[in-house]
Amino acid sequence: MGWFTRKKEGISTSTADKKETPEGLWYKCPKCKAVITTEEHKSNLHVCAVCNHHERISASDYFELLFDSTKGTEFARGITAADPLEFKDTKNYVDRIKSVQEKTGLKDAIRVAHGKMDGDVIVIAAMDFRFIGGSMGSVVGEKIARAIDKAIELEAPLIIISKSGGARMMEAGLSLMQMAKTSAKLNQLSEAKLPYISLLTDPTTGGVTASFAMLGDVNIAEPNALIAFAGPRVVKETIGRDLPEGFQYSEFVLEHGFLDLIVDRKDLKSKMSQLLRMLKLEKAQKEEE
Amino acid sequence: MANYLPFEEPISLIEEEILKAKEIGANSGVSTSKMVKDLEKKLKTTTEDIFKNLTPWQRVQLSRHPDRPYTLDYINAITGGDFVELHGDRNVKDDKAMVGGFGTVDGQSIMFVGQQKGINTKMRQYRNFGMPNPEGYRKAMRLFRLAEKFNKPIVTFIDTPGAFPGLEAEERGQGEAIARNIYEMMNLKVPVICIIIGEGASGGALGIGVGDKVVMLENSWYSVISPENCSTILWRSWDYKEQAAEALKLTSTDMKALKIVDEVIKEPIGGAHRFKEEAFENVKKSILKNLTKLQKMDPDKRCEKRINKFCEMGVYKGK
């Protein structure tokens, strides 16, 4: 027996008397279910004010967050996917690319730009999960290569923001080789003694984890981001039992020694600037000697 | 007892007939030598017919043929048994899915490293089905560094259905281990030759797959995912593995055309599993030929060329 009983059956408020809420005015956190206004959520950098859940954001959101005044100068914008394998599953790869491009307004799963961060020149490559799960094909590989070339040209540090389900299946062997290509290019960046910060965001898995994302001079992650080689579902199938709490999330990965630090989105810019300043100071001293 | 794949059935039938004919000849004293000769001729043409038009999926099946030689078979044959296996990553444990050590070929010593599969159920489990854990990749890197220190060339044999997707593997950083190997292999100052002898599945293969020369055996495959898993993800069912095998362009011919591998080693007609000695000889010849060329190069130039080769991979439009 409940404490309160409904006297009248059904809903008695007439449609005319109901309060209207326009779409998109409120944001409900998928994790803690707290409800705040979209505007407030946006000013919180898409981080839940209650539980600190970091919502996935786009490449351009990161540019806005990290570059000083403008969104930076984007380059290599004209590079798009070809279809050398003429890949076809339930859909042609070319058609898939076209429809995702129209839907998202993106060219592919990564954007690269240079600009200034706290006054210093920086090159940023930011992945975008909306484009076929942020998957890495030839375009992602080539754009990272261009970003590294640009960093070497400008003698600037590089930040790669990973957010990817892994290699893009529709480019098969070619996408696998992008793991090798990006790692080869990182050798050149290292040769030029330029710092590389890898920022791992939710989710970073598969071939991206097994190449550039794990190869930062400093590996930073946003809180509670899934970071894995094999995804949780695959691991669960392999071992045939439930996974421990927090398995493969930032905090877990840090505890196992594969991250340098976890940084809240609001502190990313200042923390990375601080680190880069320290790296630069040491370099300047050496030059004076 | 030999194993036969479904499409090898005609071969198995003729081989059986030959055996019977020989037996009759031996037991009854009736000469069956002409009959045997005819059958052997028939066997040859049948084998040729089957192996002339293999589909990508049939090649995938061949790459996993239970009688196919594995890494240690190649190493032992090529070195004539003059091989010392070295163990452990000096950190966690010895990964049985990844083997390695020094061996000699024609008077020069070479560091051999490769994934190892097992020949029966017990051994398959012992070798974890050729799926290395992070310590396997770190063991490989330790051996690469050892080879580099003493200026010995490196040959890797790739034969894996993938890096192991287990809980401990993730805890110990499977992604990092593979990434580190790919990165470090670019800059090894000694010649590196990688040979895909069976399955070349994804990052698990690439983790020991960065070389001056990457070579594939004719009936091996190399791709970002196995046809079965590709079928499961894109078609949401295992039944499309044959289409997936077609779509992935994973055969040696395709990979050579895409310039992802440098060379294809021909297999004897009938496959490496049927004529092992010939397969070993072909692989040995390829290694020696490539080593002679690579050893003439300046180490820094060789690394630069290796890095540039991988930097150029990929096909896209625009700029």
Side-chain angles (χ1 to χ4, degrees):
Chain A
M1 178 78 179
W3 287 4
F4 305 100
T5 42
R6 189 189 280 273
K7 280 183 183 162
K8 277 193 246 169
E9 283 291 318
I11 299 160
S12 51
T13 320
S14 67
T15 312
D17 293 339
K18 277 187 182 164
K19 295 240 162 62
E20 283 285 327
T21 1
E23 276 291 313
L25 203 58
W26 296 93
Y27 171 79
K28 187 176 174 186
C29 173
K31 211 172 162 218
C32 73
K33 314 284 181 226
V35 176
I36 53 166
T37 65
T38 315
E39 209 174 318
E40 201 188 330
H41 184 58
K42 207 181 158 198
S43 72
N44 280 341
L45 308 170
H46 301 271
V47 175
C48 176
V50 180
C51 73
N52 203 31
H53 171 70
H54 282 55
E55 200 197 351
R56 284 174 195 166
I57 58 174
S58 69
S60 67
D61 288 332
Y62 278 107
F63 289 159
E64 211 169 310
L65 175 73
L66 298 174
F67 286 124
D68 286 344
S69 50
T70 59
K71 287 187 172 184
T73 312
E74 198 178 342
F75 57 94
R77 296 180 63 161
I79 298 175
T80 55
D83 181 22
L85 307 184
E86 293 168 2
F87 195 93
K88 186 173 186 281
D89 49 278
T90 49
K91 209 173 172 182
N92 285 327
Y93 180 43
V94 258
D95 296 336
R96 201 184 282 269
I97 288 281
K98 207 185 254 173
S99 82
V100 181
Q101 280 174 338
E102 277 162 18
K103 212 173 96 191
T104 60
L106 296 164
K107 294 266 173 60
D108 210 289
I110 196 167
R111 294 173 72 178
V112 291
H114 63 91
K116 285 192 170 174
M117 185 171 80
D118 285 336
D120 286 319
V121 179
I122 186 101
V123 177
I124 302 177
M127 300 189 81
D128 207 307
F129 195 74
R130 294 171 298 163
F131 200 96
I132 320 186
S135 56
M136 168 165 64
S138 297
V139 177
V140 169
E142 178 61 19
K143 281 195 162 191
I144 286 177
R146 301 283 176 102
I148 291 169
D149 288 339
K150 183 64 87 181
I152 294 171
E153 180 198 323
L154 301 173
E155 290 182 54
L158 171 75
I159 299 171
I160 302 179
I161 303 167
S162 298
K163 188 183 280 292
S164 170
R168 189 174 295 167
M169 233 178 301
M170 302 81 163
E171 291 187 31
L174 286 167
S175 25
L176 179 64
M177 287 307 131
Q178 301 313 304
M179 293 166 67
K181 177 173 178 167
T182 50
S183 309
K185 290 301 287 187
L186 283 174
N187 267 283
Q188 295 178 343
L189 188 76
S190 177
E191 187 73 17
K193 295 270 179 280
L194 293 165
Y196 161 41
I197 295 181
S198 171
L199 175 61
L200 298 91
T201 69
D202 186 65
T204 299
T205 61
V208 169
T209 305
S211 60
F212 58 86
M214 275 293 162
L215 293 172
D217 294 314
V218 179
N219 292 341
I220 300 177
E222 285 191 340
N224 207 39
L226 176 71
I227 298 164
F229 173 64
R233 209 184 31 165
V234 178
V235 177
K236 198 177 156 183
E237 270 171 29
T238 308
I239 63 170
R241 58 191 152 94
D242 284 336
L243 301 169
E245 176 112 14
F247 181 66
Q248 297 182 316
Y249 283 89
S250 308
E251 294 70 14
F252 173 94
V253 181
L254 179 108
E255 282 310 312
H256 282 88
F258 295 98
L259 293 173
D260 288 283
L261 51 161
I262 297 171
V263 179
D264 278 357
R265 194 173 285 161
K266 64 175 168 35
D267 303 323
L268 275 177
K269 185 174 176 176
S270 60
K271 188 61 85 182
M272 291 197 284
S273 295
Q274 187 189 8
L275 267 168
L276 291 173
R277 200 178 64 235
M278 288 169 178
L279 287 169
K280 202 168 73 170
L281 271 177
E282 207 169 336
K283 201 181 163 198
Q285 276 167 358
K286 270 197 185 141
E287 274 163 11
E288 274 167 36
E289 283 165 18
Chain B
M1 186 62 200
N3 292 287
Y4 294 93
L5 296 167
F7 65 88
E8 288 180 309
E9 230 20 74
I11 298 173
S12 121
L13 291 177
I14 302 169
E15 281 184 344
E16 225 168 88
E17 277 180 57
I18 293 174
L19 245 116
K20 262 188 216 154
K22 279 184 180 166
E23 211 177 310
I24 291 166
N27 292 343
S28 65
V30 183
S31 170
T32 51
S33 60
K34 188 176 180 299
M35 196 179 160
V36 171
K37 229 180 198 170
D38 288 345
L39 280 169
E40 274 169 352
K41 215 184 233 172
K42 192 176 158 199
L43 177 69
K44 195 165 173 253
T45 51
T46 313
T47 313
E48 277 170 4
D49 284 345
I50 293 173
F51 277 77
K52 216 161 46 192
N53 298 309
L54 290 171
T55 65
W57 174 244
Q58 286 172 332
R59 287 194 198 274
V60 172
Q61 289 176 295
L62 278 174
S63 79
R64 299 168 179 164
H65 199 292
D67 298 336
R68 201 170 165 85
Y70 296 142
T71 294
L72 284 172
D73 300 322
Y74 280 98
I75 295 175
N76 284 323
I78 290 168
T79 60
D82 190 19
F83 169 68
V84 182
E85 192 181 341
L86 303 171
H87 296 270
D89 71 336
R90 298 295 186 271
N91 195 5
V92 177
K93 60 158 79 139
D94 183 45
D95 193 332
K96 308 296 182 201
M98 186 79 84
V99 296
F102 282 118
T104 62
V105 184
D106 283 4
Q108 67 171 324
S109 60
I110 297 175
M111 171 58 79
F112 291 98
V113 172
Q115 288 109 352
Q116 179 66 32
K117 292 179 175 176
I119 48 161
N120 51 38
T121 309
K122 203 177 155 195
M123 288 306 283
R124 276 191 272 275
Q125 278 174 343
Y126 177 73
R127 296 292 182 188
N128 200 27
F129 304 89
M131 294 187 283
N133 273 282
E135 49 273 24
Y137 292 99
R138 291 178 183 132
K139 169 181 176 179
M141 186 42 68
R142 180 179 80 82
L143 297 179
F144 295 157
R145 289 288 176 220
L146 189 64
E148 189 182 41
K149 180 175 173 184
F150 295 102
N151 198 25
K152 304 297 176 212
I154 295 164
V155 173
T156 71
F157 290 108
I158 296 169
D159 190 10
T160 180
F164 188 59
L167 185 125
E168 288 86 6
E170 288 293 314
E171 283 181 341
R172 294 197 286 268
Q174 188 71 284
E176 196 274 345
I178 292 171
R180 189 66 52 199
N181 274 24
I182 297 171
Y183 180 83
E184 302 277 343
M185 282 185 89
M186 294 282 172
N187 236 334
L188 289 168
K189 299 291 183 216
V190 291
V192 185
I193 298 170
C194 307
I195 308 173
I196 298 136
I197 56 169
E199 298 188 88
S202 199
L206 188 59
I208 56 164
V210 174
D212 301 301
K213 291 280 176 225
V214 180
V215 179
M216 267 176 100
L217 247 70
E218 192 182 352
N219 297 318
S220 64
W221 66 271
Y222 194 15
S223 193
V224 76
I225 192 166
S226 72
E228 288 93 334
N229 286 336
C230 178
S231 164
T232 314
I233 295 173
L234 292 179
W235 282 270
R236 297 183 195 285
S237 147
W238 272 62
D239 303 337
Y240 296 86
K241 48 189 188 286
E242 285 163 56
Q243 271 118 301
E246 298 266 349
L248 286 167
K249 303 277 193 293
L250 43 62
T251 66
S252 54
T253 328
D254 289 322
M255 293 301 270
K256 175 78 173 36
L258 289 164
K259 293 184 183 148
I260 294 173
V261 302
D262 302 292
E263 182 187 318
V264 176
I265 300 176
K266 277 270 175 210
E267 281 184 35
I269 293 165
H273 59 287
R274 205 179 303 279
F275 305 98
K276 292 183 184 169
E277 293 308 320
E278 208 177 324
F280 296 148
E281 195 52 38
N282 292 353
V283 168
K284 183 177 169 177
K285 268 188 207 148
S286 162
I287 293 173
L288 290 174
K289 180 194 74 187
N290 283 321
L291 269 189
T292 314
K293 277 188 218 159
L294 291 169
Q295 278 168 330
K296 282 184 193 139
M297 293 173 74
D298 169 69
D300 290 325
K301 282 265 153 53
R302 200 167 44 219
C303 284
E304 199 184 313
K305 204 175 162 205
R306 189 187 305 155
I307 287 176
N308 288 340
K309 179 179 86 170
F310 284 99
C311 284
E312 273 160 30
M313 287 187 183
V315 181
Y316 52 87
K317 293 188 292 192
K319 45 183 177 174

